[in-house]
C-alpha cells in the first residue's frame, strides 16, 4: 500500500513537472514566433519580399525555445556532450540571425546551388563544423552515451533508420512525379528526370552538412522536447495529434504572408494543419523506433529537398488541390501514417503514459 501511494505521488510530481515544462515551452515558442511574424510582416509585407536565406530563420525557433527550457529547468539531458553540441547550434543561430537581419559577415556563399547558395559563408562553415563534430561524437561510445538522453545520438535500429528513410524518400519522389503525370504544373527548367535526380542527390548530400541547423531547429523542438512531454501526458495517439496541430498553427503567420499556397490563407492553414498531423505521426514514429531526433531531421530535409528539385525539373504547383505539396499527396501519406499506427502498435503502446 505504501509503495503504491509512493508511486502515485511520484507520478503526480512528474506530471506536474512535465505540464510546467510544456506550458513554459509553448509560451516561449509563441513569444518568439509572434516577434518573428511581426518583424517579417512590418518589414516585408509578403513572403515573396523576404530574402531567401532570411525565410529560414523561423525554423530555428522551436529548438531555441527547447534549449531555453532545458536551461531553465536544469534538464538532466544537458550532459557535457549535449551542452557542447547545443552550444554549436546556439553560435550558429546567433551568427545566422546577424547575417539574415543585418548583412552577411563574409559576403559570399560556399556553393552555387538552389537554397544552399542562400546560406552565408560563415554560417555554412559553422554548420559544417557542427555536423563533423556530431559524427565524431557518435563514433566514441562515451560521447555517444552522453548524447543519448537528448536524442542527439544516431540511435538504435540502424537498419530501420536507413530502410525507413529510403522508403520515405521514394514515396515523396513518386508523389511529386504524380504532379507532372497529372499536369498540375510545369517545372521551372523543363521536365528532365535525369537532372532532377542529379540535383536532388547533390542537394541532399550537401544539405546534411550545410542546412541541418534549420531542420534540427524544428525537429529538436518538436520531436525531442514537445513529443517527450505530450506523449506521457496525453498518450501517444492524442499526443501526436496535439503536436501536429501545434506544429501546423505555428506556421500560420508564414502561410498568411504567402509562404505556401499564396492568396489562400484560410485553406492554406487548414491544409498545413492536416499535413503536419500526418507528418507528426510519420516523424514521431521514426523517432520512437530509433530514439534519435536525427531520423526526423533526415525525413524533414528529404521532404523539402524533393520539393526544391522537383520545382526545377519535375513539376511545381501552388494549388492546394494537387500532388507534390498539395492535399492529394497527404491523403496518400495519411494512409501510410494510418498503416504505421495499425501495423506497429507495439511501438506506440510502448510509450510510458503517466496516468492520473
Amino acid at each position: 500500500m505504501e509503495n503504491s501511494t509512493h508511486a502515485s505521488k511520484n507520478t503526480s510530481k512528474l506530471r506536474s513537472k512535465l505540464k510546467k515544462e510544456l506550458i513554459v515551452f509553448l509560451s516561449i515558442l509563441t513569444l518568439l514566433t509572434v516577434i518573428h511574424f511581426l518583424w517579417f510582416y512590418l518589414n516585408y509585407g509578403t513572403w515573396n519580399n523576404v530574402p531567401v536565406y532570411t525565410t529560414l530563420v523561423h525554423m530555428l525557433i522551436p529548438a531555441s525555445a527547447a534549449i531555453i527550457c532545458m536551461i531553465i529547468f536544469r534538464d538532466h539531458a544537458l550532459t557535457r556532450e549535449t551542452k557542447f553540441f547545443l552550444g554549436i547550434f546556439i553560435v550558429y543561430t546567433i551568427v545566422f540571425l546577424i547575417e539574415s537581419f543585418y548583412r552577411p559577415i563574409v559576403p559570399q556563399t560556399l556553393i552555387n546551388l538552389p537554397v544552399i547558395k542562400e546560406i552565408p559563408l560563415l554560417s555554412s562553415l559553422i554548420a559544417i563544423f557542427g555536423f563533423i563534430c556530431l559524427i565524431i561524437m557518435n563514433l566514441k561510445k562515451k560521447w555517444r552515451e552522453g548524447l543519448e538522453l537528448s536524442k542527439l545520438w544516431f540511435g538504435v535500429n540502424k537498419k530501420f533508420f536507413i530502410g525507413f528513410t529510403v522508403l520515405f524518400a521514394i514515396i515523396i519522389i513518386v508523389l511529386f512525379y504524380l504532379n507532372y503525370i497529372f499536369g498540375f504544373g510545369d517545372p521551372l527548367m523543363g521536365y528532365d528526370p535525369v537532372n532532377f535526380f542529379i540535383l536532388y542527390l547533390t542537394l541532399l548530400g550537401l544539405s546534411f552538412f550545410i542546412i541541418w541547423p534549420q531542420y534540427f531547429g524544428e525537429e529538436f523542438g518538436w520531436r525531442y522536447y514537445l513529443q517527450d512531454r505530450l506523449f506521457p501526458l496525453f498518450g501517444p495517439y492524442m499526443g501526436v495529434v496535439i503536436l501536429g496541430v501545434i506544429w501546423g498553427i505555428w506556421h500560420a503567420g508564414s502561410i498568411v504572408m504567402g509562404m505556401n499556397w499564396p492568396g489562400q490563407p484560410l485553406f492554406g492553414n487548414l491544409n498545413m494543419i492536416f499535413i503536419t498531423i500526418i507528418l507528426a505521426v510519420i516523424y514521431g514514429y521514426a523517432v520512437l523506433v530509433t530514439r534519435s531526433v536525427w531520423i526526423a531531421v533526415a525525413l524533414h530535409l528529404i521532404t523539402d529537398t524533393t520539393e526544391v528539385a522537383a520545382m526545377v525539373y519535375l513539376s511545381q504547383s501552388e494549388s492546394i488541390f494537387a500532388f507534390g505539396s498539395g492535399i492529394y499527396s497527404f491523403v496518400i501519406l495519411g494512409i501510410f501514417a494510418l498503416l504505421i499506427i495499425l501495423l506497429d502498435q507495439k511501438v506506440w503502446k510502448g510509450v510510458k503514459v503517466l496516468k492520473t
Side-chain angles (χ1 to χ4, degrees), residues 212-265:
W212 69 262
Q214 277 69 28
Y215 294 91
F216 174 81
E218 282 207 40
E219 295 309 322
F220 188 72
W222 305 137
R223 243 54 65 180
Y224 166 67
Y225 204 83
L226 188 55
Q227 179 165 301
D228 280 8
R229 278 137 192 88
L230 287 176
F231 282 21
L233 289 172
F234 299 97
Y237 302 126
M238 180 61 71
V240 79
V241 172
I242 295 172
L243 195 157
V245 171
I246 292 171
W247 186 15
I249 292 173
W250 176 75
H251 287 88
S254 300
I255 299 296
V256 168
M257 287 183 64
M259 180 181 73
N260 298 93
W261 315 291
Q264 305 171 84

Side-chain angles (χ1 to χ4, degrees), residues 221-354:
W222 305 137
R223 243 54 65 180
Y224 166 67
Y225 204 83
L226 188 55
Q227 179 165 301
D228 280 8
R229 278 137 192 88
L230 287 176
F231 282 21
L233 289 172
F234 299 97
Y237 302 126
M238 180 61 71
V240 79
V241 172
I242 295 172
L243 195 157
V245 171
I246 292 171
W247 186 15
I249 292 173
W250 176 75
H251 287 88
S254 300
I255 299 296
V256 168
M257 287 183 64
M259 180 181 73
N260 298 93
W261 315 291
Q264 305 171 84
L266 177 59
F267 287 110
N269 273 296
L270 291 175
N271 193 42
M272 178 58 76
I273 293 171
F274 175 64
I275 287 171
T276 49
I277 290 173
I278 291 167
L279 292 181
V281 173
I282 297 170
Y283 295 1
Y285 167 75
V287 171
L288 288 176
V289 174
T290 62
R291 304 210 310 268
S292 170
V293 74
W294 292 107
I295 191 168
V297 172
L299 297 176
H300 196 159
L301 201 155
I302 284 168
T303 305
D304 287 4
T305 300
T306 308
E307 182 174 9
V308 172
M311 286 173 60
V312 179
Y313 289 119
L314 284 186
S315 177
Q316 65 163 339
S317 175
E318 293 183 344
S319 173
I320 291 175
F321 299 99
F323 287 98
S325 59
I327 196 168
Y328 300 153
S329 287
F330 287 92
V331 169
I332 294 173
L333 282 176
I335 296 171
F336 179 61
L338 185 61
L339 288 174
I340 284 174
I341 293 173
L342 295 177
L343 298 180
D344 203 356
Q345 291 190 31
K346 182 179 178 181
V347 170
W348 298 94
K349 290 181 178 179
V351 174
K352 184 178 180 181
V353 180
L354 301 174

